[in-house]
Amino acid sequence: MTTQPEQILEDKLVTQLEKLGHKKVIIRDEKDLLTNLRIQLEKHNKTVLSDSDFKQILNYINKGNVFERAKILRDRVPYINDQGETKTIELVNQIHWCQNEFQVTQQISIDGSYKNRYDVTLLINGLPLVQIELKRRGLELKEAFNQTNRYERHSYWAGHGLFQFVQLFVISNGVNTKYYANCPLKGRSFKQTFFWADQKNQLITQLSDFSEVFLEPCHISKMITKYIVLNESQKMLMVLRPYQFYAVEAIVERVKTTPKYGYIWHTTGSGKTLTSFKTAQILTNLPQVYKVVFVVDRKDLDYQTTKEFNAFSKGSIDGTNNTNTLVNQLSGDNKLIVTTIQKLNTAISKKRYLDKMEVLKDKRIVFIFDECHRSQFGKTHEDIKSFFENCQMFGFTGTPIFENNAGTNEYGKRTTKMLFGDCLHRYVITDAIRDGNVLKFSVEYIRTFKKRDNILDIEVEAIDEAEVMNAPQRLDNVSDYIIANHSRKTHNKEFTAIFCVSSVPVLIEYYKLFLQKKEEGQHNLKLATIFSYQANEEDKDAVGFIEEEELLMAAEPTVKYGAGAQDLSFQHSRDELEDFIKEYNTQFGTNFTSRDSQSYYNYYNDIAKRVKNKQVDLLLVVNMFLTGFDSKHLNTLYVDKNLKYHGLIQAYSRTNRILNELKSQGNIVCFRNLKEATDQAITLFSNLNARDEIIMEPYEDYVAKFNNAYLELLKIAPTVDSVNDFPSEEEELAFIKAFRELMRTKNVLTTFTEFTFDDLDMTAQSFEDYKSKYLDLYDKTITHGQVEKVSILDDIDFELELIHRDEINVTYILKLLAKLKDAAPEDQEKQKKALIELISGDAQLRSKRELIEKFIQENLPQIADSDDIPEAFDDYWDEERKAALEKLSEEENLNEEKLQEVISQYLFTEKKPMRDQVIDLLNKRPALKERASIAERVTDRILRFVETFVSGVTG
């Protein structure tokens, strides 16, 4: 092969993009880029620009960072023409997004701190708005991601900074393809790169399939003009994920074509607020819509939400309790209004506002309810619907209300479907975990009684007796457990935790215990708490359930008091809270009180901010913060209350936001038996078989499973060498299956932060030795194809993906080669042996072992400086690849030119060549009866050639 695999991928992609409607243009450098920009802007704006006009335009757009240029892109650019008239031009048509000029180019070179050459660039009206970086098959996608970051540092800003207009990046290695928005380097994370998918959430990862739908001119232009959000508070671009895109499209289509309602079921943590924000934004541009009212619960109307919405539509959001402001907004010019369910209810129910509100009754107002499983199940929903006769309502929820989990009010059972109609798009928790958008849960059940206490074991039966569950000794044991294990659960307080309990009196007892133990020096956790002290002690509204439905959230026994006793109880709770707030004020230098409602609300917001900023280690609550609260730094939930259905999923979901590699799962520590409730909730909100996809078994279970699998392996192969002496393939097959089971379990074990081989009956070295034998058997099956011998091992799935470690690729091997070159003579042999063992133990690199060994023996001694190794290795690899291709052509009597084309096509599409294509490679056409076997053999050799010389090799 004379052409590099990346170049093949690139050329094929450009050809495909041309067919999709992007015109190919040759652009070598910034000079060509500017010449082309002028031509395209003239064409798009149907005008002629003089040198002076174009110079003014370039000066105007060459300012600011990526975020500021994204604003310039969406605005008109002014200039004064040669006749002294003020004119403007459009950079991109946002209304009719298909009516732009689309071009594709490749290998543009830009000189910055370094000279960089970019792979494939999509130009819209001459501006580079999409940058595509490709890596060859088998390489980590993260290498392409890191490359775009390097270009950002080195050259995107150079010259007139036109590459600062890039809105989207696309990265691909042929097999996997992802996209992400351009934002400041410090705001970029590989975890914020996304796969595209179809409407049913089936991922589209292969480059040619992805390009067909995502890079089609109209679609990519629509993504840029409609589905990128300019996040004002963080000054960065955000692009919608596929499920968010489909949800917005579904609502917009419904508003355009029908008066029907609808709801979106997107799992908690998947970015519903961004989706609903973008929906509201697009709907305001529809002429048939009078107003868009975005409705949230008051406690969710935090500083950030306020800032975002006001940035989009000035004056759209009012953070005060003043209903007058809302009434004025509804009759004023603002098309987007953000309000609370509480203020909206007041506006349509109090007589003093009705005169002004009456004129709105028949207006086409679209209401969007965030977290629609909450307050809307009360009377308010019916009142809004009755008052605004021509309104349209849409809800967003991560946990819809179904028959099973519906509460009852004066209207009977109310489900989400009954209130909002059809589900317009769904993206459930299993989808989000699969896509890496949320984490799995690791649920532990902690026994809080000894069996001799004559109380049913926590693993057998839930315990509801309040006097038992709230016994001082038990509360003391639970708090001791949290103190002892908090550092392990939160990675030495790198993360924060919430502890939710059954009632306010129990919370008070727990909080006093933690304070007492802190004074005694047993811990140094920064504590906080908040709870409601009104007559609705359980704070129904803050948790988002109507009163009767509260049992779903906290199925605790209700204690009846006389009126006087009740008043005393609430007064006691308020006094206790006031004391806790004083302790908080001392700890953080604040000045909050529960005596004033605004100060209490500010206290709530301050806690939210400090939990998000890791300034609070442990937050104790009854119901507050268990729904709607997002903090990426929260990874643990301690539970000492009964949860059920949507209440359970909502509470658990506080812990599973994606952050970084350290945060591998959401930790749920249950001090009650919630096993059955957890299974029921998962079944309701995904499906019966989804438990293993959502919940990880406890670590100890996997250790036991591994040890049992090891025992089974020893029965088949008592020693590593005994694998060599198997009398037949039946024994080999049994060994493969046994070791494969061991690999699967180890693969799960390594996801636990506490994993160590010391906990296992098998040593790490023993595992590696058996793995080497396993791979020997795999190699044996590969050679069967050449000698055309039938083997019972041919159809076995070796699941090599469980062995391949992404971090060990040829790049890594080159670093080890440099280390070997620079090692002292006495260490060289030892390092060489370790290197060969490492290659042998990796499924993908194993095919390259002989070639790498040959390089070490013949080439490495001839290289004077270890810095020259990468270049020397590349040259060596190219020569070996060409030789192997010639050998394959000669031995099979193939047309070498056609063979290169077949390999190129395979690298691009990832689809095995068809039998007819392979037969067409042969210089001499075989007899009919030989064709099948010859085609199979040649195909196998082509695939092994690609595996050896292309997959996992750095370009």
Side-chain angles (χ1 to χ4, degrees), residues 241-502:
R241 302 172 192 194
Y243 57 89
Q244 295 173 312
F245 169 86
Y246 292 122
V248 178
E249 291 273 288
I251 292 179
V252 172
E253 184 60 25
R254 182 152 280 213
V255 171
K256 283 179 176 177
T257 58
T258 169
K260 289 179 180 177
Y261 296 3
Y263 74 95
I264 302 296
W265 174 7
H266 281 182
T267 194
T268 309
S270 60
K272 288 188 301 299
T273 303
L274 175 65
T275 315
S276 46
F277 168 80
K278 178 44 82 174
T279 306
Q281 192 181 43
I282 290 177
L283 290 177
T284 54
N285 293 322
L286 298 183
Q288 62 266 50
V289 174
Y290 176 69
K291 302 271 182 190
V292 179
V293 182
F294 187 83
V295 187
V296 297
D297 195 284
R298 181 171 185 248
K299 74 184 194 61
D300 295 333
L301 199 56
D302 60 9
Y303 169 74
Q304 192 159 324
T305 311
T306 307
K307 188 173 179 181
E308 284 303 325
F309 275 91
N310 272 335
F312 164 63
S313 181
K314 198 162 185 171
S316 67
I317 187 167
D318 174 44
T320 70
N321 283 327
N322 190 341
T323 305
N324 240 332
T325 310
L326 170 63
V327 174
N328 290 334
Q329 284 176 324
L330 283 165
S331 50
D333 294 332
N334 284 349
K335 275 202 82 169
L336 174 65
I337 297 164
V338 184
T339 190
T340 66
I341 189 92
Q342 293 84 355
K343 275 202 284 188
L344 187 57
N345 192 37
T346 305
I348 60 173
S349 59
K350 300 291 183 200
K351 283 182 182 175
R352 64 179 178 274
Y353 302 119
L354 290 180
D355 283 350
K356 271 191 174 182
M357 296 293 291
E358 202 66 33
V359 294
L360 303 171
K361 281 179 86 82
D362 62 346
K363 297 286 188 189
R364 181 86 186 274
I365 298 177
V366 177
F367 290 96
I368 296 174
F369 291 93
D370 196 25
E371 302 290 356
C372 72
H373 57 271
R374 289 206 239 150
S375 308
Q376 293 70 257
F377 285 83
K379 187 169 176 291
T380 307
H381 182 278
E382 206 62 38
D383 289 348
I384 295 168
K385 190 175 163 185
S386 302
F387 187 88
F388 297 99
E389 293 163 3
N390 199 23
C391 76
Q392 204 166 358
M393 291 189 183
F394 296 98
F396 282 81
T397 178
T399 49
I401 305 302
F402 300 111
E403 281 286 335
N404 304 35
N405 60 321
T408 307
N409 57 24
E410 60 265 43
Y411 302 103
K413 274 197 172 189
R414 307 307 298 269
T415 66
T416 305
K417 184 175 175 61
M418 289 161 71
L419 292 175
F420 288 95
D422 299 335
C423 177
L424 302 181
H425 194 260
R426 53 182 280 168
Y427 183 78
V428 299
I429 190 167
T430 42
D431 296 320
I433 288 172
R434 176 205 64 200
D435 295 349
N437 289 327
V438 298
L439 299 169
K440 276 190 174 188
F441 302 115
S442 176
V443 185
E444 287 184 68
Y445 299 96
I446 307 303
R447 186 182 295 138
T448 54
F449 298 102
K450 293 175 185 170
K451 286 185 180 178
R452 62 179 172 79
D453 289 343
N454 203 27
I455 295 169
L456 291 169
D457 189 80
I458 193 143
E459 291 179 0
V460 180
E461 190 65 57
I463 303 163
D464 288 328
E465 292 86 351
E467 65 272 17
V468 175
M469 296 305 281
N470 302 338
Q473 185 58 52
R474 180 179 176 279
L475 302 189
D476 194 59
N477 291 346
V478 169
S479 53
D480 281 346
Y481 177 90
I482 291 173
I483 290 165
N485 290 278
H486 187 76
S487 281
R488 184 170 67 87
K489 287 291 167 195
T490 60
H491 294 273
N492 294 318
K493 297 198 280 190
E494 186 63 32
F495 301 103
T496 57
I498 286 178
F499 181 21
C500 60
V501 303
S502 57

Side-chain angles (χ1 to χ4, degrees), residues 38 42 48-59 79-82:
R38 181 170 174 176
E42 288 179 336
V48 175
L49 297 171
S50 68
D51 290 350
S52 168
D53 299 341
F54 189 56
K55 188 177 178 184
Q56 288 177 67
I57 290 164
L58 284 182
N59 286 340
Y79 66 96
I80 298 169
N81 68 12
D82 296 345

Side-chain angles (χ1 to χ4, degrees), residues 656-863:
N656 73 340
R657 300 300 186 273
I658 296 286
L659 178 64
N660 54 24
E661 300 303 326
L662 190 62
K663 190 178 179 184
S664 57
Q665 72 240 5
N667 294 318
I668 312 296
V669 181
C670 295
F671 300 106
R672 298 188 177 210
N673 181 12
L674 299 181
K675 276 185 175 177
E676 192 178 336
T678 300
D679 290 348
Q680 285 174 348
I682 287 169
T683 302
L684 185 66
F685 295 113
S686 52
N687 64 65
L688 187 62
N689 303 316
R691 191 187 186 284
D692 289 344
E693 295 175 52
I694 297 170
I695 304 289
M696 299 169 76
E697 297 294 340
Y699 174 69
E700 294 73 20
D701 287 18
Y702 287 111
V703 169
K705 192 176 177 186
F706 183 94
N707 289 337
N708 288 335
Y710 180 45
L711 285 174
E712 291 303 312
L713 180 78
L714 290 176
K715 288 177 189 174
I716 299 160
T719 66
V720 174
D721 289 339
S722 64
V723 177
N724 304 335
D725 304 323
F726 285 152
S728 73
E729 285 189 344
E730 275 79 8
E731 287 78 13
E732 290 177 348
L733 181 62
F735 169 75
I736 289 164
K737 287 180 174 176
F739 189 76
R740 191 176 61 187
E741 186 58 36
L742 208 61
M743 284 198 306
R744 285 173 177 166
T745 310
K746 179 180 172 281
N747 197 52
V748 176
L749 271 171
T750 53
T751 65
F752 285 88
T753 48
E754 60 261 52
F755 172 67
T756 167
F757 257 101
D758 295 342
D759 293 340
L760 306 178
D761 294 342
M762 187 183 202
T763 65
Q765 186 58 54
S766 183
F767 182 85
E768 291 301 318
D769 291 345
Y770 274 107
K771 186 175 83 177
S772 184
K773 295 297 179 187
Y774 181 82
L775 287 168
D776 285 342
L777 290 174
Y778 172 71
D779 288 345
K780 179 181 166 184
T781 66
I782 293 297
T783 58
H784 278 134
Q786 294 171 36
V787 295
E788 300 196 8
K789 176 190 168 188
V790 177
S791 165
I792 63 169
L793 302 183
D794 285 348
D795 295 327
I796 191 77
D797 184 357
F798 280 79
E799 296 185 8
L800 294 187
E801 64 274 13
L802 295 178
I803 291 178
H804 179 56
R805 290 169 287 185
D806 288 335
E807 70 274 12
I808 302 175
N809 53 23
V810 173
T811 311
Y812 181 65
I813 295 297
L814 289 176
K815 286 178 190 167
L816 293 182
L817 286 173
K819 193 176 166 191
L820 171 62
K821 177 72 187 169
D822 296 336
E826 62 272 19
D827 292 333
Q828 281 193 350
E829 200 54 44
K830 194 166 134 191
Q831 284 192 24
K832 193 188 295 180
K833 185 169 180 277
L835 186 77
I836 298 302
E837 278 180 7
L838 183 68
I839 296 165
S840 303
D842 184 88
Q844 197 175 64
L845 289 174
R846 201 175 166 89
S847 63
K848 305 164 184 40
R849 174 178 168 166
E850 283 182 28
L851 289 162
I852 294 172
E853 276 192 85
K854 184 181 172 187
F855 180 80
I856 292 170
Q857 301 297 345
E858 297 177 12
N859 297 52
L860 198 61
Q862 315 304 323
I863 301 168

Side-chain angles (χ1 to χ4, degrees), residues 40-41 43-46 72-76 89-102 124-127 129 217-227:
Q40 297 306 310
L41 287 178
K43 190 174 176 184
H44 180 66
N45 288 275
K46 297 181 174 59
I72 292 170
L73 177 69
R74 288 158 176 79
D75 209 345
R76 292 189 72 87
I89 61 153
E90 177 184 79
L91 295 179
V92 63
N93 188 336
Q94 299 175 76
I95 307 299
H96 304 291
W97 52 85
C98 293
Q99 294 174 22
N100 289 293
E101 304 302 321
F102 300 98
I124 298 182
N125 303 329
L127 282 171
L129 298 190
C218 280
H219 184 270
I220 194 67
S221 185
K222 190 176 197 178
M223 289 300 295
I224 289 168
T225 57
K226 296 288 177 198
Y227 290 105

